[in-house]
RNA sequence: GGACCCGUGGUGUAGCGGCCAAACAUGCCAGCCUGUCACGCUGGAGAUCGCCGGUUCGAAUCCGGUCGGGUCCGCCA
C-alpha cells in the first residue's frame, strides 16, 4: 500500500488542458505570457487577409485568440493561411506577443496579445457551413439549426447555455453530496405504471408478447430505496412521457429526483430551498433572488392572491375580491351577469393594470379576447383617467357609485385600469391569473434578471373524477395527507369503496409541495404515505380495488410490509431550471440534441422505419400502416445523411436521399 | 385530434397576379492590399420562389392538397 504512493502520478493529466496538439486553449493566453512559445489548436473563426499579412481568429470553446501570419517572418505558414477558410481545424505554433500599442482589442479576453505564427498545420478542412458560426445573433431557421446541431453548438449562445447547464448540474451534485445524499441510478427499462401520461414502451425479445415501459419518473424506485435504508437518495434522471410537445416539454427530459427518509414536509422544503439558493448563487451570481427565504403559500392562498399554483412573485397586481363592495346596499348590483355569479356561489375578482387607463380600444379589445380564450365569458373593465373621471362599458348598469367603490377596493388610482372577471371560482382565478402574468410581462413590471422562487403547498388531495366516479389523486397517488386531515380520508357513506362527490375526502389536503420560479412550475413533491392502512384507504377512494391495487403496485406494497421509514421527496425539472437560468423560454435551447415539436430528431432522422428483421424477431407486425411508406414521405428530407458503415443498407430504407451540397 | 403563423440563391429577408428565370444584405469564388479584428477595394458565380394539383391569356404572388418548422388549445404535472 505504501509503495503505491511512491509511484509518480502524472498530475498534469488532471489539471491541464494541454495535449500534443496544444499547449494552451484559445482563451488562456494573456499579457504576462508574452515572450512564451505556444501552440494552439482550434477552428478558424475568421480570416482577415491583407496580402502579406493575414490574421486568423482561432476559436475553441474556451475563447478566441488572434494569430498573425507574416509573409516575411514565416512564408510557409503564411502560404498555408492563404488556403485556410472559416471552420477549418488548424494547429498553430509561434510566439506569444504583446500587440502593438493601439491595436489591442478590448472585446477579446485575449485581446492584449496575439500569437505570431511560425508554423501552421491544417488538421481538417471544412465546407462552408449552412449558417453563420461566427455571428452569434444571426437568426437561423429552427429546422436548420436542429439538423446541424453540432454546428449550432459551436456558436456562442448554444455553447454558453450548455456550459451553464453543466454548471447547474455540477452545483446540484456538489450540494447533494455535501448533504449526505447518495447518487444512485435506477433502470430505464421498467414496468408500466398508471401515472397519467402515456408510456413509451419497449418490446421484449426474451419474453415475447411483453413490453417494458420507460420511466415517467423513478417514483416507485426511489421509494423502494428508502425502504432499502438508503436514507438520502438523488439522481439526475432521464424521464420519458409520450405526450404532445410544447416549448417547455420534450418527450425525454431530465429531472433532479430526490428522496429523504425520516422527514417532515418542512425538512424536504428546507433542504431544497437551501440547495436552490446555493445553486442559483453559484451558477448565476449576477441574478438577484426576489425573496429569501422563499415565500410559502398554501394552494388556497396562491389561487386567491395570484390565480395560479405557480405564481410569478416578481410583481404585485394581486387579485382582489370585489364581491364585498358589490354586495353593499343589498338587492343586486344592477348588472345581471354579476348578480347571477354572486347568486350561484361564483367569484367576482379583479386586477389593476397600472397606467393602462389610456389603453386604446384595440388594446382593451385584445385583453377581452384574451380573457375569452382563457375561458371567461367576458371581461369587464373600469378605468379612472388622469382627471379622476371613471369610464366603463357597464357604467349604465352598475352606476358610478359602485364603479368607484370597486376601484377603491381594488386599490386603483388615477390612470389605472381595473379588469374584472365574474365566473365560477376556478375560472375567475385562472383567467385573472393568466391576465396578470401576461400584463406583468407586457407592462414591464418584472425585472427579467430577478429569480423569484416560491413554494405552494397543501394542495387538495383529490379531485372528483365524474366520468369514472372516483377521487383522483391531484398529484401522486402515494402523496400523504396532512396529519390533521387524516380523518377526512373517508366516504360519506362509510364504505371506502363507494366514493361520492360530497365525501369528506374532497376537503383533505395533501402533504404536497410545488416549487415555482418566475411563474413556471419547477418541481413538485410530497411526503408519502408509508403506512399500509392509510395507503389502502387512499387507494380505495381513488377507485382501486384491493386486487387491482396489488396488480399495479404489488411490489411497493409488499416492500412497505418489511419496514418502511417515513419518507418524502421531490423532483425538479432540470431542463426548465436551466432554461430559466439562461433566460430562455424554450427548453430546446438548453438541450444539446432536442426533438422538434412533432417528436422527430432532424439530425439523426429518428424515429425511423425499423428493419423487418427487427420487428419480426420481436413478434411484431405493423397493422394499418405501411412502415416503408414513411421513408419517401419526407418532402424536405434531411439531406446527405447516408450513414455508411454503421449498418448494412437494408430494404425499406430506399428513401430518396438528397445529395449533399455541391463541391466546396 | 384542432387552430394559427411561416417555407424565395448557402444564411437572413424583400417582392404578394404581368414591369421578376426574381431584388437587397451577408456568405461563397477570384484578384489586389503589411495592423486588421463584422478589415477594405474590384470582379464573378449562385434560387424555375418546399412539393403536387387547380384558377388565369399569364402564378413566387390567388385557391386546394401535401410535406417540413414554429406557437397555442386539447393532452401532459
Amino acid at each position: 500500500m505504501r509503495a503505491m504512493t511512491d509511484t509518480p502520478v502524472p498530475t498534469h493529466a488532471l489539471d491541464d488542458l494541454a495535449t500534443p496538439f496544444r499547449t494552451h486553449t484559445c482563451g488562456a493566453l494573456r499579457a504576462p505570457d508574452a515572450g512564451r512559445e505556444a501552440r494552439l489548436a482550434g477552428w478558424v473563426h475568421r480570416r482577415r487577409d491583407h496580402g502579406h499579412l493575414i490574421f486568423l481568429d482561432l476559436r475553441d470553446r474556451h475563447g478566441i485568440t488572434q494569430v498573425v501570419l507574416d509573409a516575411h517572418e514565416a512564408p510557409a505558414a503564411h502560404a498555408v493561411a492563404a488556403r485556410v477558410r472559416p471552420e477549418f481545424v488548424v494547429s498553430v505554433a509561434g510566439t506569444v506577443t504583446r500587440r502593438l500599442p493601439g491595436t489591442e482589442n478590448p472585446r477579446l479576453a485575449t485581446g492584449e496579445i496575439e500569437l505570431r505564427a511560425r508554423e501552421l498545420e491544417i488538421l481538417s478542412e471544412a465546407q462552408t457551413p449552412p449558417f453563420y458560426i461566427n455571428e452569434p445573433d444571426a437568426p437561423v431557421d429552427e429546422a436548420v439549426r436542429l439538423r446541424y446541431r453540432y454546428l449550432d453548438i459551436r456558436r456562442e449562445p448554444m455553447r454558453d447555455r450548455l456550459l451553464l447547464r453543466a454548471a447547474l448540474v455540477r452545483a446540484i451534485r456538489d450540494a447533494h453530496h455535501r448533504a449526505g445524499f447518495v447518487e444512485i441510478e435506477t433502470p430505464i427499462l421498467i414496468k408500466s405504471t398508471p401515472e397519467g401520461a402515456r408510456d413509451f414502451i419497449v418490446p421484449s425479445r426474451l419474453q415475447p408478447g411483453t413490453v417494458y415501459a420507460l420511466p415517467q419518473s423513478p417514483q416507485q424506485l426511489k421509494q423502494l430505496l428508502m425502504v432499502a435504508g438508503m436514507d438520502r437518495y438523488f439522481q439526475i434522471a432521464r424521464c420519458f412521457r409520450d405526450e404532445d410537445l410544447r416549448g417547455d416539454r420534450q418527450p425525454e427530459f431530465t429531472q433532479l429526483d430526490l428522496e429523504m427518509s425520516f422527514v417532515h414536509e418542512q425538512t424536504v422544503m428546507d433542504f431544497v430551498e437551501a440547495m436552490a439558493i446555493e445553486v442559483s448563487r453559484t451558477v448565476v451570481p449576477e441574478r438577484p433572488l426576489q425573496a429569501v427565504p422563499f415565500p410559502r403559500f398554501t394552494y388556497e392562498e396562491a389561487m386567491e392572491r395570484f390565480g395560479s399554483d405557480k405564481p410569478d412573485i416578481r410583481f404585485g397586481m394581486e387579485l382582489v375580491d370585489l364581491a364585498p363592495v358589490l354586495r353593499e346596499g343589498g338587492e343586486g348590483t344592477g348588472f345581471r351577469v354579476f348578480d347571477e355569479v354572486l347568486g350561484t356561489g361564483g367569484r367576482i375578482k379583479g386586477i389593476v393594470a397600472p397606467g393602462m387607463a389610456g389603453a386604446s380600444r384595440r388594446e382593451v379589445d385584445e385583453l377581452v379576447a384574451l380573457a375569452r380564450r382563457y375561458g371567461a365569458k367576458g371581461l369587464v373593465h373600469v378605468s379612472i383617467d388622469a382627471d379622476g373621471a371613471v369610464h366603463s362599458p357597464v357604467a349604465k348598469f352598475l352606476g358610478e357609485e359602485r364603479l368607484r367603490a370597486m376601484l377603491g377596493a381594488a386599490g386603483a388610482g388615477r390612470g389605472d385600469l381595473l379588469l374584472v372577471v365574474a365566473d365560477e371560482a376556478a375560472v375567475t382565478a385562472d383567467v385573472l391569473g393568466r391576465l396578470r402574468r401576461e400584463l406583468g410581462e407586457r407592462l414591464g413590471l418584472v425585472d427579467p434578471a430577478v429569480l423569484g422562487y416560491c413554494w405552494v403547498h397543501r394542495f387538495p388531495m383529490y379531485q372528483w373524477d365524474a366520468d369514472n366516479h372516483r377521487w383522483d389523486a391531484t398529484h401522486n397517488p402515494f402523496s400523504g395527507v396532512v396529519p390533521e386531515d387524516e380523518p377526512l380520508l373517508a366516504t360519506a357513506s362509510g364504505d371506502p369503496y363507494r366514493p361520492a362527490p360530497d365525501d369528506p375526502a374532497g376537503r383533505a389536503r395533501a402533504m404536497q409541495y410545488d416549487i415555482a420560479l418566475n411563474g413556471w412550475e419547477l418541481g413538485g413533491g410530497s411526503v408519502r404515505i408509508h403506512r399500509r392502512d392509510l395507503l389502502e384507504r387512499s387507494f380505495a377512494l381513488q377507485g382501486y380495488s384491493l386486487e387491482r391495487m396489488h396488480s399495479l403496485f404489488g411490489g411497493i406494497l409488499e416492500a412497505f410490509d418489511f419496514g418502511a421509514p417515513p419518507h418524502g421527496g421531490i423532483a425538479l425539472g432540470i431542463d426548465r431550471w436551466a432554461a430559466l437560468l439562461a433566460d430562455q423560454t424554450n427548453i430546446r435551447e438548453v438541450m444539446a440534441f432536442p426533438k422538434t415539436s412533432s417528436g422527430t430528431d432532424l439530425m439523426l432522422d429518428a424515429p425511423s422505419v425499423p428493419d423487418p428483421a427487427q420487428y419480426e424477431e420481436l413478434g411484431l407486425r405493423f397493422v394499418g400502416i405501411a412502415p416503408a411508406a414513411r421513408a419517401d414521405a419526407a418532402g424536405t428530407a434531411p439531406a446527405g445523411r447516408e450513414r455508411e458503415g454503421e449498418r448494412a443498407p437494408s430494404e425499406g430504407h430506399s428513401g430518396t436521399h438528397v445529395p449533399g451540397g455541391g463541391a466546396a
Side-chain angles (χ1 to χ4, degrees):
Chain A
M1 216 164 187
R2 227 176 70 203
M4 292 291 283
T5 60
D6 296 335
T7 312
V9 176
T11 51
H12 73 273
L14 288 178
D15 58 20
D16 196 347
L17 290 167
T19 76
F21 290 88
R22 68 182 185 198
T23 56
H24 298 78
T25 68
C26 295
L29 294 168
R30 294 290 186 278
D33 296 308
R36 288 175 80 151
E37 290 296 296
R39 176 177 281 277
L40 301 179
W43 285 261
V44 173
H45 192 63
R46 225 179 259 285
R47 183 178 66 116
R48 290 177 296 280
D49 186 344
H50 291 244
H52 286 278
L53 196 64
I54 297 176
F55 297 98
L56 296 181
D57 288 343
L58 197 62
R59 182 197 73 233
D60 61 20
R61 78 171 172 86
H62 307 275
I64 290 178
T65 301
Q66 173 166 285
V67 178
V68 192
L69 295 110
D70 187 310
H72 301 303
E73 271 177 37
H78 179 270
V80 174
R83 274 183 55 219
V84 153
R85 292 291 178 273
E87 301 311 312
F88 275 31
V89 181
V90 300
S91 174
V92 56
T95 311
V96 182
T97 316
R98 271 201 104 98
R99 292 201 191 184
L100 299 173
T103 66
E104 301 90 347
N105 185 348
R107 290 165 55 198
L108 281 185
T110 60
E112 280 186 61
I113 56 91
E114 61 197 3
L115 189 68
R116 294 201 78 89
R118 191 176 59 251
E119 165 192 335
L120 175 67
E121 186 190 354
I122 294 174
L123 300 176
S124 178
E125 303 195 351
Q127 287 186 15
T128 302
F131 49 83
Y132 307 98
I133 310 281
N134 50 20
E135 284 184 35
D137 300 325
V140 183
D141 184 74
E142 194 69 29
V144 178
R145 287 180 62 197
L146 290 174
R147 200 163 117 199
Y148 298 97
R149 193 58 158 186
Y150 46 90
L151 297 180
D152 195 23
I153 295 171
R154 273 190 207 165
R155 305 203 302 164
E156 193 177 309
M158 267 313 296
R159 179 196 70 195
D160 287 351
R161 287 194 289 267
L162 291 184
L163 294 178
L164 181 147
R165 182 180 177 135
L168 170 68
V169 170
R170 178 187 176 157
I172 288 170
R173 284 209 162 95
D174 284 350
H176 281 78
H177 286 301
R178 196 139 38 81
F181 282 79
V182 185
E183 185 168 4
I184 301 175
E185 291 181 89
T186 52
I188 294 295
L189 296 174
I190 63 165
K191 182 183 173 173
S192 180
T193 52
E195 235 183 310
R198 204 175 288 120
D199 284 320
F200 279 101
I201 58 172
V202 180
S204 162
R205 178 182 58 84
L206 295 173
Q207 308 292 331
T210 64
V211 297
Y212 299 99
L214 304 184
Q216 296 186 24
S217 77
Q219 184 59 39
Q220 291 197 33
L221 295 158
K222 68 175 172 181
Q223 290 192 246
L224 291 169
L225 286 169
M226 294 304 104
V227 179
M230 288 314 290
D231 220 34
R232 292 185 168 199
Y233 140 93
F234 87 104
Q235 181 180 194
I236 307 292
R238 192 59 67 87
C239 305
F240 307 85
R241 285 175 195 166
D242 188 9
E243 296 293 347
D244 288 1
L245 285 78
R246 283 287 188 282
D248 61 350
R249 257 163 38 198
Q250 285 265 320
E252 54 181 305
F253 58 99
T254 307
Q255 279 186 350
L256 161 60
D257 190 52
L258 68 92
E259 195 78 7
M260 308 167 77
S261 289
F262 308 113
V263 293
H264 288 151
E265 185 178 70
Q266 192 79 7
T267 327
V268 180
M269 290 168 82
D270 285 350
F271 166 73
V272 172
E273 182 165 329
M275 185 271 300
I277 291 168
E278 178 180 298
V279 163
S280 302
R281 286 181 175 155
T282 304
V283 179
V284 285
E286 72 283 4
R287 300 188 65 171
L289 298 172
Q290 171 77 32
V292 174
F294 301 165
R296 296 184 183 186
F297 307 110
T298 63
Y299 171 81
E300 206 184 333
E301 184 184 6
M303 294 308 289
E304 200 60 41
R305 291 176 55 188
F306 304 101
S308 168
D309 61 0
K310 41 182 190 291
D312 188 339
I313 58 157
R314 291 173 299 172
F315 65 105
M317 258 182 88
E318 294 188 15
L319 279 56
V320 180
D321 188 3
L322 298 171
V325 290
L326 286 167
R327 281 210 175 89
E328 268 169 30
E331 65 193 75
T333 62
F335 186 35
R336 210 176 54 205
V337 174
F338 280 8
D339 290 334
E340 273 171 18
V341 168
L342 288 175
T344 55
R347 303 291 303 270
I348 302 177
K349 300 179 77 172
I351 51 173
V352 175
M356 269 196 83
S360 67
R361 174 70 189 271
R362 194 184 156 159
E363 280 177 279
V364 174
D365 284 350
E366 202 194 323
L367 290 178
V368 176
L370 213 53
R372 289 224 166 89
R373 195 147 62 81
Y374 294 154
K377 292 177 199 72
L379 180 70
V380 167
H381 52 277
V382 185
S383 64
I384 172 161
D385 65 25
D387 304 320
V390 174
H391 308 274
S392 174
V394 294
K396 56 179 178 278
F397 303 118
L398 292 168
E400 182 163 345
E401 208 59 14
R402 276 214 177 76
L403 293 180
R404 286 198 185 276
M406 285 165 69
L407 289 166
R414 292 188 175 190
D416 292 346
L417 177 70
L418 171 66
L419 299 168
V420 183
V421 172
D423 215 307
E424 52 185 276
V427 175
T428 300
D430 185 50
V431 172
L432 285 173
R434 292 194 201 212
L435 281 175
R436 172 182 177 271
R437 207 180 159 183
E438 177 73 29
L439 287 170
E441 204 79 43
R442 252 193 238 186
L443 298 175
L445 303 179
V446 291
D447 178 346
V450 171
L451 297 174
Y453 291 95
C454 69
W455 289 101
V456 176
H457 67 152
R458 313 237 143 172
F459 284 78
M461 189 88 178
Y462 309 108
Q463 252 175 326
W464 181 248
D465 177 350
D467 293 338
N468 298 300
H469 211 72
R470 63 175 188 212
W471 291 101
D472 240 8
T474 327
H475 286 78
N476 180 322
F478 285 89
S479 288
V481 66
V482 171
E484 60 262 37
D485 288 358
E486 216 174 276
L488 297 176
L489 291 200
T491 56
S493 66
D495 178 351
Y497 291 97
R498 304 195 57 172
D502 56 344
D503 289 339
R507 302 198 309 274
R509 294 162 302 163
M511 284 194 284
Q512 164 78 35
Y513 33 82
D514 279 9
I515 183 167
L517 171 54
N518 294 356
W520 282 31
E521 183 184 336
L522 192 59
S526 64
V527 170
R528 328 295 180 185
I529 304 182
H530 71 283
R531 265 169 46 202
R532 185 65 186 259
D533 60 316
L534 263 183
L535 202 56
E536 280 179 15
R537 270 162 69 191
S538 180
F539 273 60
L541 290 163
Q542 294 174 48
Y544 293 111
S545 65
L546 268 178
E547 304 83 75
R548 185 159 162 69
M549 178 172 158
H550 273 98
S551 84
L552 292 173
F553 304 104
I556 195 163
L557 292 174
E558 185 182 45
F560 277 14
D561 287 340
F562 286 98
H567 60 285
I570 195 169
L572 273 66
I574 296 279
D575 312 281
R576 286 185 185 184
W577 203 357
L580 284 161
L581 296 184
D583 206 16
Q584 297 295 312
T585 50
N586 197 308
I587 63 172
R588 274 197 308 264
E589 299 298 342
V590 293
M591 301 178 88
F593 301 110
K595 295 183 173 48
T596 66
S597 69
S598 50
T600 62
D601 183 321
L602 295 179
M603 193 182 64
L604 299 176
D605 198 17
S608 61
V609 179
D611 191 305
Q614 288 180 302
Y615 49 85
E616 272 160 27
E617 193 168 43
L618 295 165
L620 298 177
R621 199 181 314 142
F622 285 86
V623 177
I625 55 163
R630 272 204 71 235
D632 290 314
T636 320
R641 235 98 47 66
E642 31 297 270
R643 274 172 287 164
E644 310 92 346
E646 281 191 27
R647 73 168 47 164
S650 60
E651 291 174 351
H653 282 268
S654 55
T656 43
H657 271 297
V658 182

